[in-house]
Amino acid sequence: MDTLNLAKDTASLLPDGPWTAVPDDTWNPGASRLTHADGRSIRIDRARRDGYVHASVLYPHPCHFPLHGGHQPTTEMRADRGARALASALTRKLLPVYNEIHPQVVAANSAHVEAARKRDAFADHLASLVPGASVGDGHHGGGAVHVHHYGPNLSRADVDVSSQETHTINLRWISSAAAEAVMRAYAATLPDHTAAAPDPASSDTGTGAFPVEAIGPLAHEALGSDWTAEHGAAESVFTGPDQRVFRLLDDEGTLALWFDDAMGHSVPEGPLGGGAVIYPPGVWFECRSPSEPAGALAVSVAEALRSLTAT
């Protein structure tokens, strides 16, 4: 089957010309391609069915636009129907989608190239800040570029520079002075870097992300009459059947249970003051999802309290 002559006859019948027909043996011998000056390209190939041709759109490779099946229309027809029928099928079935998506692919690819150029330039800049640093391929893929430096006394710095303009820095075996300088520089980039850091020991309340005043009473109801409780806006205090005391509070965005050790063990100072311990090891409750309904959180709290008093 002579697809090239069919493609040549079809080229002059397509809208928004000129289109040019060229041989394309990339996939199958005897295939052809209709190309446009703006980069659009349509492959004309023999179909699986004898006497039929298959037409499909082509996008630049690699492609950095999220294509799906609807972006890659195809059509088939009997070759003996000729160029006018093929031009009509391409105009109706392929070009409407192709003309919309192809410019987006080109734009996405251009943006990717520009982002990579900026990434590489920034990596070179970072390397220039430290004598002896070098640039290589990223450790974690994803288009990252790696900047590394080996310093004295086994110290080293590694930076994965991303085209997304968020980067990963790993510093090892650096001096105390260097660590302080790094943290000060990092703090200076934060929007609220002038605000004083909160003192965890100065308050029992956190960010208020969890409605403790609603969760506490619901948890008490689920526990039953052998538990007593006192509820406030900031915390709920539960006393179990064994007289152990537990405190439910929002600890800086984490819904947490804290309790006094009534078993005679030494009690270390904790973020909430003396008596704040985890006992038994690994059996306590914490949650960092304020979006969960208060009722569901209350059930989890009650189950955790029962497990703590059962051990």
Side-chain angles (χ1 to χ4, degrees):
M1 181 185 299
D2 187 359
T3 63
L4 181 58
N5 282 334
L6 177 61
K8 288 179 178 179
D9 293 340
T10 303
S12 61
L13 302 174
L14 291 176
D16 191 26
W19 290 80
T20 303
V22 296
D24 183 6
D25 295 333
T26 305
W27 287 39
N28 294 319
S32 304
R33 190 156 35 95
L34 288 162
T35 64
H36 194 278
D38 62 9
R40 286 176 294 166
S41 186
I42 300 173
R43 177 180 286 126
I44 310 298
D45 201 355
R46 289 175 293 180
R48 291 180 180 273
R49 291 185 291 178
D50 289 340
Y52 279 73
V53 291
H54 176 89
S56 58
V57 300
L58 301 174
Y59 290 104
H61 181 78
C63 176
H64 297 283
F65 181 84
L67 293 172
H68 58 71
H71 294 155
Q72 299 169 291
T74 63
T75 188
E76 288 189 5
M77 55 165 274
R78 287 194 58 86
D80 58 12
R81 292 180 60 192
R84 290 192 177 278
L86 180 57
S88 175
L90 297 180
T91 302
R92 290 183 294 108
K93 298 180 180 180
L94 272 64
L95 288 181
V97 172
Y98 193 37
N99 290 348
E100 176 186 354
I101 302 302
H102 185 270
Q104 298 182 51
V105 171
V106 172
N109 285 358
S110 296
H112 177 82
V113 170
E114 177 61 15
R117 184 195 67 78
K118 291 182 177 179
R119 175 204 62 200
D120 293 348
F122 186 61
D124 289 339
H125 169 67
L126 291 180
S128 71
L129 299 177
V130 183
S134 59
V135 178
D137 293 334
H139 281 174
H140 305 295
V145 171
H146 185 64
V147 179
H148 62 89
H149 175 263
Y150 296 94
N153 301 321
L154 299 179
S155 63
R156 63 178 293 178
D158 299 282
V159 186
D160 278 325
V161 182
S162 168
S163 57
Q164 303 299 318
E165 298 187 2
T166 55
H167 318 293
T168 301
I169 298 179
N170 186 3
L171 300 173
R172 303 182 186 181
W173 302 297
I174 62 175
S175 67
S176 298
E180 181 179 355
V182 168
M183 296 308 291
R184 287 185 181 277
Y186 170 69
T189 67
L190 302 178
D192 58 346
H193 70 275
T194 57
D199 181 3
S202 65
S203 173
D204 284 354
T205 61
T207 61
F210 290 91
V212 175
E213 70 278 6
I215 299 171
L218 291 173
H220 186 203
E221 182 178 345
L223 285 168
S225 59
D226 53 345
W227 286 77
T228 61
E230 297 179 3
H231 306 293
E235 70 174 19
S236 287
V237 180
F238 298 88
T239 302
D242 57 359
Q243 300 306 303
R244 295 174 68 191
V245 177
F246 302 84
R247 302 165 65 199
L248 174 70
L249 68 156
D250 181 335
D251 179 32
E252 298 185 354
T254 297
L255 185 65
L257 277 175
W258 292 88
F259 53 95
D260 296 330
D261 188 343
M263 305 302 292
H265 299 287
S266 61
V267 180
E269 285 287 321
L272 301 180
V277 296
I278 301 174
Y279 179 87
V283 184
W284 76 311
F285 175 80
E286 63 174 8
C287 177
R288 293 180 172 86
S289 178
S291 61
E292 190 172 350
L297 289 171
V299 170
S300 297
V301 169
E303 291 175 351
L305 287 168
R306 289 195 189 98
S307 70
L308 287 166
T309 55
T311 55

mmCIF file of all heavy atoms in Angstrom, residues 144-184:
data_model
loop_
_atom_site.group_PDB
_atom_site.id
_atom_site.type_symbol
_atom_site.label_atom_id
_atom_site.label_comp_id
_atom_site.label_asym_id
_atom_site.label_seq_id
_atom_site.Cartn_x
_atom_site.Cartn_y
_atom_site.Cartn_z
ATOM 1 N N ALA A 144 16.064 16.435 39.362
ATOM 2 C CA ALA A 144 16.884 17.206 40.286
ATOM 3 C C ALA A 144 18.346 17.200 39.842
ATOM 4 O O ALA A 144 18.806 16.293 39.148
ATOM 5 C CB ALA A 144 16.764 16.648 41.705
ATOM 6 N N VAL A 145 19.056 18.248 40.247
ATOM 7 C CA VAL A 145 20.496 18.345 40.034
ATOM 8 C C VAL A 145 21.161 18.355 41.402
ATOM 9 O O VAL A 145 20.655 18.983 42.341
ATOM 10 C CB VAL A 145 20.852 19.618 39.241
ATOM 11 C CG1 VAL A 145 22.344 19.830 39.208
ATOM 12 C CG2 VAL A 145 20.306 19.523 37.820
ATOM 13 N N HIS A 146 22.272 17.652 41.534
ATOM 14 C CA HIS A 146 22.909 17.476 42.838
ATOM 15 C C HIS A 146 24.151 18.347 42.960
ATOM 16 O O HIS A 146 25.015 18.349 42.087
ATOM 17 C CB HIS A 146 23.281 16.007 43.029
ATOM 18 C CG HIS A 146 23.836 15.696 44.377
ATOM 19 N ND1 HIS A 146 23.096 15.839 45.522
ATOM 20 C CD2 HIS A 146 25.063 15.274 44.763
ATOM 21 C CE1 HIS A 146 23.839 15.495 46.555
ATOM 22 N NE2 HIS A 146 25.036 15.152 46.128
ATOM 23 N N VAL A 147 24.199 19.114 44.040
ATOM 24 C CA VAL A 147 25.386 19.897 44.380
ATOM 25 C C VAL A 147 26.006 19.272 45.625
ATOM 26 O O VAL A 147 25.289 19.036 46.613
ATOM 27 C CB VAL A 147 25.023 21.371 44.660
ATOM 28 C CG1 VAL A 147 26.270 22.163 45.039
ATOM 29 C CG2 VAL A 147 24.344 21.996 43.446
ATOM 30 N N HIS A 148 27.284 18.971 45.589
ATOM 31 C CA HIS A 148 27.888 18.364 46.786
ATOM 32 C C HIS A 148 29.261 18.945 47.058
ATOM 33 O O HIS A 148 29.958 19.435 46.143
ATOM 34 C CB HIS A 148 27.956 16.835 46.663
ATOM 35 C CG HIS A 148 28.808 16.348 45.536
ATOM 36 N ND1 HIS A 148 30.142 16.098 45.657
ATOM 37 C CD2 HIS A 148 28.490 16.061 44.245
ATOM 38 C CE1 HIS A 148 30.633 15.665 44.503
ATOM 39 N NE2 HIS A 148 29.658 15.640 43.630
ATOM 40 N N HIS A 149 29.629 18.881 48.330
ATOM 41 C CA HIS A 149 30.927 19.403 48.752
ATOM 42 C C HIS A 149 31.425 18.571 49.922
ATOM 43 O O HIS A 149 30.663 18.246 50.845
ATOM 44 C CB HIS A 149 30.805 20.866 49.197
ATOM 45 C CG HIS A 149 32.094 21.416 49.750
ATOM 46 N ND1 HIS A 149 32.355 21.462 51.108
ATOM 47 C CD2 HIS A 149 33.193 21.919 49.121
ATOM 48 C CE1 HIS A 149 33.565 21.971 51.292
ATOM 49 N NE2 HIS A 149 34.091 22.264 50.119
ATOM 50 N N TYR A 150 32.678 18.201 49.894
ATOM 51 C CA TYR A 150 33.315 17.488 50.987
ATOM 52 C C TYR A 150 34.299 18.438 51.661
ATOM 53 O O TYR A 150 35.231 18.935 51.040
ATOM 54 C CB TYR A 150 34.051 16.246 50.468
ATOM 55 C CG TYR A 150 33.125 15.231 49.859
ATOM 56 C CD1 TYR A 150 32.889 15.220 48.485
ATOM 57 C CD2 TYR A 150 32.472 14.298 50.655
ATOM 58 C CE1 TYR A 150 32.022 14.307 47.917
ATOM 59 C CE2 TYR A 150 31.598 13.366 50.101
ATOM 60 C CZ TYR A 150 31.379 13.369 48.733
ATOM 61 O OH TYR A 150 30.513 12.470 48.176
ATOM 62 N N GLY A 151 34.037 18.713 52.947
ATOM 63 C CA GLY A 151 34.854 19.656 53.693
ATOM 64 C C GLY A 151 35.816 18.972 54.641
ATOM 65 O O GLY A 151 35.972 17.741 54.626
ATOM 66 N N PRO A 152 36.411 19.746 55.515
ATOM 67 C CA PRO A 152 37.371 19.186 56.473
ATOM 68 C C PRO A 152 36.670 18.401 57.573
ATOM 69 O O PRO A 152 35.481 18.601 57.855
ATOM 70 C CB PRO A 152 38.056 20.438 57.029
ATOM 71 C CG PRO A 152 37.036 21.524 56.883
ATOM 72 C CD PRO A 152 36.295 21.216 55.623
ATOM 73 N N ASN A 153 37.384 17.513 58.194
ATOM 74 C CA ASN A 153 36.885 16.739 59.333
ATOM 75 C C ASN A 153 35.604 15.984 59.004
ATOM 76 O O ASN A 153 34.663 15.922 59.811
ATOM 77 C CB ASN A 153 36.657 17.659 60.538
ATOM 78 C CG ASN A 153 37.922 18.368 60.967
ATOM 79 O OD1 ASN A 153 39.005 17.779 60.956
ATOM 80 N ND2 ASN A 153 37.798 19.637 61.314
ATOM 81 N N LEU A 154 35.558 15.423 57.789
ATOM 82 C CA LEU A 154 34.440 14.607 57.325
ATOM 83 C C LEU A 154 33.153 15.388 57.076
ATOM 84 O O LEU A 154 32.120 14.804 56.744
ATOM 85 C CB LEU A 154 34.135 13.468 58.326
ATOM 86 C CG LEU A 154 35.252 12.464 58.575
ATOM 87 C CD1 LEU A 154 34.820 11.419 59.589
ATOM 88 C CD2 LEU A 154 35.669 11.787 57.271
ATOM 89 N N SER A 155 33.164 16.700 57.247
ATOM 90 C CA SER A 155 31.946 17.479 56.981
ATOM 91 C C SER A 155 31.619 17.426 55.497
ATOM 92 O O SER A 155 32.505 17.317 54.646
ATOM 93 C CB SER A 155 32.134 18.924 57.428
ATOM 94 O OG SER A 155 33.158 19.554 56.684
ATOM 95 N N ARG A 156 30.323 17.489 55.212
ATOM 96 C CA ARG A 156 29.900 17.475 53.819
ATOM 97 C C ARG A 156 28.554 18.158 53.686
ATOM 98 O O ARG A 156 27.759 18.214 54.631
ATOM 99 C CB ARG A 156 29.828 16.054 53.265
ATOM 100 C CG ARG A 156 28.813 15.155 53.932
ATOM 101 C CD ARG A 156 28.779 13.784 53.303
ATOM 102 N NE ARG A 156 28.281 13.828 51.947
ATOM 103 C CZ ARG A 156 28.181 12.745 51.159
ATOM 104 N NH1 ARG A 156 28.584 11.566 51.611
ATOM 105 N NH2 ARG A 156 27.692 12.852 49.942
ATOM 106 N N ALA A 157 28.280 18.658 52.493
ATOM 107 C CA ALA A 157 27.009 19.305 52.177
ATOM 108 C C ALA A 157 26.483 18.727 50.877
ATOM 109 O O ALA A 157 27.230 18.571 49.907
ATOM 110 C CB ALA A 157 27.188 20.813 52.050
ATOM 111 N N ASP A 158 25.214 18.365 50.865
ATOM 112 C CA ASP A 158 24.557 17.844 49.671
ATOM 113 C C ASP A 158 23.255 18.606 49.462
ATOM 114 O O ASP A 158 22.455 18.757 50.399
ATOM 115 C CB ASP A 158 24.248 16.353 49.824
ATOM 116 C CG ASP A 158 25.502 15.523 50.022
ATOM 117 O OD1 ASP A 158 26.196 15.274 49.027
ATOM 118 O OD2 ASP A 158 25.788 15.147 51.174
ATOM 119 N N VAL A 159 23.035 19.056 48.245
ATOM 120 C CA VAL A 159 21.810 19.772 47.903
ATOM 121 C C VAL A 159 21.215 19.158 46.646
ATOM 122 O O VAL A 159 21.894 19.057 45.621
ATOM 123 C CB VAL A 159 22.067 21.277 47.659
ATOM 124 C CG1 VAL A 159 20.745 22.003 47.446
ATOM 125 C CG2 VAL A 159 22.847 21.893 48.803
ATOM 126 N N ASP A 160 19.969 18.709 46.730
ATOM 127 C CA ASP A 160 19.223 18.298 45.538
ATOM 128 C C ASP A 160 18.419 19.504 45.070
ATOM 129 O O ASP A 160 17.471 19.929 45.739
ATOM 130 C CB ASP A 160 18.302 17.117 45.832
ATOM 131 C CG ASP A 160 19.045 15.800 45.791
ATOM 132 O OD1 ASP A 160 19.964 15.678 44.964
ATOM 133 O OD2 ASP A 160 18.717 14.895 46.569
ATOM 134 N N VAL A 161 18.813 20.076 43.941
ATOM 135 C CA VAL A 161 18.187 21.283 43.411
ATOM 136 C C VAL A 161 17.097 20.866 42.427
ATOM 137 O O VAL A 161 17.365 20.186 41.435
ATOM 138 C CB VAL A 161 19.230 22.177 42.711
ATOM 139 C CG1 VAL A 161 18.579 23.460 42.209
ATOM 140 C CG2 VAL A 161 20.368 22.490 43.658
ATOM 141 N N SER A 162 15.867 21.275 42.700
ATOM 142 C CA SER A 162 14.718 20.861 41.901
ATOM 143 C C SER A 162 14.259 21.993 40.997
ATOM 144 O O SER A 162 14.366 23.172 41.339
ATOM 145 C CB SER A 162 13.568 20.439 42.819
ATOM 146 O OG SER A 162 12.359 20.297 42.093
ATOM 147 N N SER A 163 13.701 21.628 39.849
ATOM 148 C CA SER A 163 13.128 22.632 38.961
ATOM 149 C C SER A 163 11.831 23.195 39.516
ATOM 150 O O SER A 163 11.302 24.173 38.992
ATOM 151 C CB SER A 163 12.879 22.030 37.571
ATOM 152 O OG SER A 163 12.038 20.896 37.648
ATOM 153 N N GLN A 164 11.296 22.568 40.587
ATOM 154 C CA GLN A 164 10.094 23.080 41.243
ATOM 155 C C GLN A 164 10.414 24.201 42.220
ATOM 156 O O GLN A 164 9.528 24.715 42.894
ATOM 157 C CB GLN A 164 9.385 21.939 41.984
ATOM 158 C CG GLN A 164 9.010 20.766 41.112
ATOM 159 C CD GLN A 164 8.057 21.148 40.005
ATOM 160 O OE1 GLN A 164 7.123 21.896 40.217
ATOM 161 N NE2 GLN A 164 8.299 20.634 38.804
ATOM 162 N N GLU A 165 11.686 24.551 42.341
ATOM 163 C CA GLU A 165 12.166 25.626 43.215
ATOM 164 C C GLU A 165 11.950 25.306 44.699
ATOM 165 O O GLU A 165 11.833 26.201 45.533
ATOM 166 C CB GLU A 165 11.526 26.965 42.843
ATOM 167 C CG GLU A 165 11.876 27.403 41.414
ATOM 168 C CD GLU A 165 11.395 28.803 41.096
ATOM 169 O OE1 GLU A 165 10.827 29.459 41.979
ATOM 170 O OE2 GLU A 165 11.593 29.229 39.938
ATOM 171 N N THR A 166 11.866 24.034 45.033
ATOM 172 C CA THR A 166 11.944 23.578 46.422
ATOM 173 C C THR A 166 13.056 22.547 46.470
ATOM 174 O O THR A 166 13.083 21.626 45.648
ATOM 175 C CB THR A 166 10.618 22.963 46.898
ATOM 176 O OG1 THR A 166 10.224 21.908 46.001
ATOM 177 C CG2 THR A 166 9.516 24.013 46.958
ATOM 178 N N HIS A 167 13.946 22.678 47.413
ATOM 179 C CA HIS A 167 15.194 21.921 47.377
ATOM 180 C C HIS A 167 15.431 21.179 48.693
ATOM 181 O O HIS A 167 14.867 21.525 49.734
ATOM 182 C CB HIS A 167 16.358 22.873 47.093
ATOM 183 C CG HIS A 167 16.043 23.891 46.036
ATOM 184 N ND1 HIS A 167 15.841 23.553 44.720
ATOM 185 C CD2 HIS A 167 15.846 25.242 46.119
ATOM 186 C CE1 HIS A 167 15.558 24.638 44.016
ATOM 187 N NE2 HIS A 167 15.552 25.677 44.852
ATOM 188 N N THR A 168 16.255 20.157 48.631
ATOM 189 C CA THR A 168 16.593 19.346 49.802
ATOM 190 C C THR A 168 18.072 19.537 50.121
ATOM 191 O O THR A 168 18.929 19.342 49.258
ATOM 192 C CB THR A 168 16.308 17.862 49.539
ATOM 193 O OG1 THR A 168 14.920 17.702 49.221
ATOM 194 C CG2 THR A 168 16.641 17.029 50.770
ATOM 195 N N ILE A 169 18.347 19.922 51.368
ATOM 196 C CA ILE A 169 19.723 20.137 51.815
ATOM 197 C C ILE A 169 20.049 19.143 52.919
ATOM 198 O O ILE A 169 19.273 18.959 53.858
ATOM 199 C CB ILE A 169 19.925 21.574 52.336
ATOM 200 C CG1 ILE A 169 19.658 22.584 51.220
ATOM 201 C CG2 ILE A 169 21.339 21.748 52.885
ATOM 202 C CD1 ILE A 169 19.811 24.028 51.667
ATOM 203 N N ASN A 170 21.199 18.515 52.814
ATOM 204 C CA ASN A 170 21.652 17.570 53.825
ATOM 205 C C ASN A 170 23.068 17.978 54.244
ATOM 206 O O ASN A 170 23.994 17.948 53.439
ATOM 207 C CB ASN A 170 21.639 16.148 53.260
ATOM 208 C CG ASN A 170 21.956 15.111 54.317
ATOM 209 O OD1 ASN A 170 22.129 15.433 55.495
ATOM 210 N ND2 ASN A 170 22.032 13.856 53.910
ATOM 211 N N LEU A 171 23.206 18.365 55.509
ATOM 212 C CA LEU A 171 24.515 18.744 56.052
ATOM 213 C C LEU A 171 24.931 17.691 57.074
ATOM 214 O O LEU A 171 24.146 17.331 57.955
ATOM 215 C CB LEU A 171 24.435 20.116 56.724
ATOM 216 C CG LEU A 171 24.014 21.285 55.822
ATOM 217 C CD1 LEU A 171 23.807 22.538 56.658
ATOM 218 C CD2 LEU A 171 25.062 21.530 54.744
ATOM 219 N N ARG A 172 26.151 17.221 56.980
ATOM 220 C CA ARG A 172 26.612 16.169 57.882
ATOM 221 C C ARG A 172 27.922 16.574 58.550
ATOM 222 O O ARG A 172 28.808 17.129 57.908
ATOM 223 C CB ARG A 172 26.815 14.857 57.123
ATOM 224 C CG ARG A 172 25.575 14.360 56.380
ATOM 225 C CD ARG A 172 25.862 13.032 55.708
ATOM 226 N NE ARG A 172 24.756 12.614 54.879
ATOM 227 C CZ ARG A 172 24.731 11.476 54.194
ATOM 228 N NH1 ARG A 172 25.775 10.659 54.249
ATOM 229 N NH2 ARG A 172 23.695 11.162 53.453
ATOM 230 N N TRP A 173 27.990 16.270 59.821
ATOM 231 C CA TRP A 173 29.209 16.432 60.608
ATOM 232 C C TRP A 173 29.749 17.861 60.526
ATOM 233 O O TRP A 173 30.957 18.082 60.360
ATOM 234 C CB TRP A 173 30.273 15.420 60.166
ATOM 235 C CG TRP A 173 29.788 14.027 60.284
ATOM 236 C CD1 TRP A 173 29.430 13.370 61.408
ATOM 237 C CD2 TRP A 173 29.575 13.107 59.200
ATOM 238 N NE1 TRP A 173 29.000 12.102 61.129
ATOM 239 C CE2 TRP A 173 29.080 11.907 59.767
ATOM 240 C CE3 TRP A 173 29.747 13.170 57.825
ATOM 241 C CZ2 TRP A 173 28.760 10.797 59.000
ATOM 242 C CZ3 TRP A 173 29.429 12.064 57.065
ATOM 243 C CH2 TRP A 173 28.950 10.898 57.653
ATOM 244 N N ILE A 174 28.844 18.824 60.613
ATOM 245 C CA ILE A 174 29.274 20.219 60.588
ATOM 246 C C ILE A 174 29.441 20.715 62.020
ATOM 247 O O ILE A 174 28.912 20.125 62.972
ATOM 248 C CB ILE A 174 28.268 21.108 59.835
ATOM 249 C CG1 ILE A 174 26.892 21.102 60.536
ATOM 250 C CG2 ILE A 174 28.133 20.649 58.391
ATOM 251 C CD1 ILE A 174 25.889 22.061 59.911
ATOM 252 N N SER A 175 30.165 21.799 62.180
ATOM 253 C CA SER A 175 30.444 22.328 63.514
ATOM 254 C C SER A 175 29.195 22.987 64.109
ATOM 255 O O SER A 175 28.231 23.295 63.406
ATOM 256 C CB SER A 175 31.571 23.359 63.430
ATOM 257 O OG SER A 175 31.133 24.508 62.709
ATOM 258 N N SER A 176 29.249 23.233 65.402
ATOM 259 C CA SER A 176 28.141 23.913 66.078
ATOM 260 C C SER A 176 27.933 25.307 65.502
ATOM 261 O O SER A 176 26.786 25.757 65.321
ATOM 262 C CB SER A 176 28.419 24.008 67.588
ATOM 263 O OG SER A 176 28.518 22.727 68.159
ATOM 264 N N ALA A 177 29.031 26.004 65.222
ATOM 265 C CA ALA A 177 28.923 27.347 64.663
ATOM 266 C C ALA A 177 28.246 27.312 63.295
ATOM 267 O O ALA A 177 27.396 28.160 62.978
ATOM 268 C CB ALA A 177 30.296 27.991 64.559
ATOM 269 N N ALA A 178 28.610 26.319 62.484
ATOM 270 C CA ALA A 178 27.999 26.205 61.164
ATOM 271 C C ALA A 178 26.514 25.867 61.288
ATOM 272 O O ALA A 178 25.682 26.403 60.549
ATOM 273 C CB ALA A 178 28.720 25.149 60.336
ATOM 274 N N ALA A 179 26.182 24.970 62.217
ATOM 275 C CA ALA A 179 24.783 24.597 62.412
ATOM 276 C C ALA A 179 23.952 25.808 62.837
ATOM 277 O O ALA A 179 22.830 26.020 62.352
ATOM 278 C CB ALA A 179 24.673 23.490 63.452
ATOM 279 N N GLU A 180 24.497 26.610 63.755
ATOM 280 C CA GLU A 180 23.775 27.801 64.194
ATOM 281 C C GLU A 180 23.607 28.794 63.052
ATOM 282 O O GLU A 180 22.527 29.379 62.872
ATOM 283 C CB GLU A 180 24.506 28.475 65.357
ATOM 284 C CG GLU A 180 23.787 29.722 65.870
ATOM 285 C CD GLU A 180 24.500 30.360 67.041
ATOM 286 O OE1 GLU A 180 25.498 29.795 67.526
ATOM 287 O OE2 GLU A 180 24.057 31.436 67.470
ATOM 288 N N ALA A 181 24.653 28.985 62.260
ATOM 289 C CA ALA A 181 24.567 29.919 61.137
ATOM 290 C C ALA A 181 23.523 29.472 60.124
ATOM 291 O O ALA A 181 22.760 30.285 59.590
ATOM 292 C CB ALA A 181 25.931 30.048 60.463
ATOM 293 N N VAL A 182 23.448 28.164 59.881
ATOM 294 C CA VAL A 182 22.467 27.635 58.938
ATOM 295 C C VAL A 182 21.052 27.868 59.452
ATOM 296 O O VAL A 182 20.162 28.308 58.708
ATOM 297 C CB VAL A 182 22.712 26.137 58.687
ATOM 298 C CG1 VAL A 182 21.540 25.508 57.963
ATOM 299 C CG2 VAL A 182 23.986 25.936 57.887
ATOM 300 N N MET A 183 20.810 27.567 60.727
ATOM 301 C CA MET A 183 19.474 27.733 61.286
ATOM 302 C C MET A 183 19.068 29.199 61.340
ATOM 303 O O MET A 183 17.888 29.539 61.134
ATOM 304 C CB MET A 183 19.399 27.095 62.668
ATOM 305 C CG MET A 183 19.592 25.585 62.673
ATOM 306 S SD MET A 183 18.474 24.732 61.501
ATOM 307 C CE MET A 183 16.893 25.005 62.334
ATOM 308 N N ARG A 184 20.008 30.077 61.615
ATOM 309 C CA ARG A 184 19.690 31.507 61.601
ATOM 310 C C ARG A 184 19.324 31.965 60.189
ATOM 311 O O ARG A 184 18.385 32.734 59.987
ATOM 312 C CB ARG A 184 20.871 32.321 62.139
ATOM 313 C CG ARG A 184 21.066 32.214 63.642
ATOM 314 C CD ARG A 184 22.180 33.138 64.120
ATOM 315 N NE ARG A 184 22.395 33.024 65.548
ATOM 316 C CZ ARG A 184 21.675 33.677 66.462
ATOM 317 N NH1 ARG A 184 20.696 34.494 66.066
ATOM 318 N NH2 ARG A 184 21.924 33.524 67.747
#
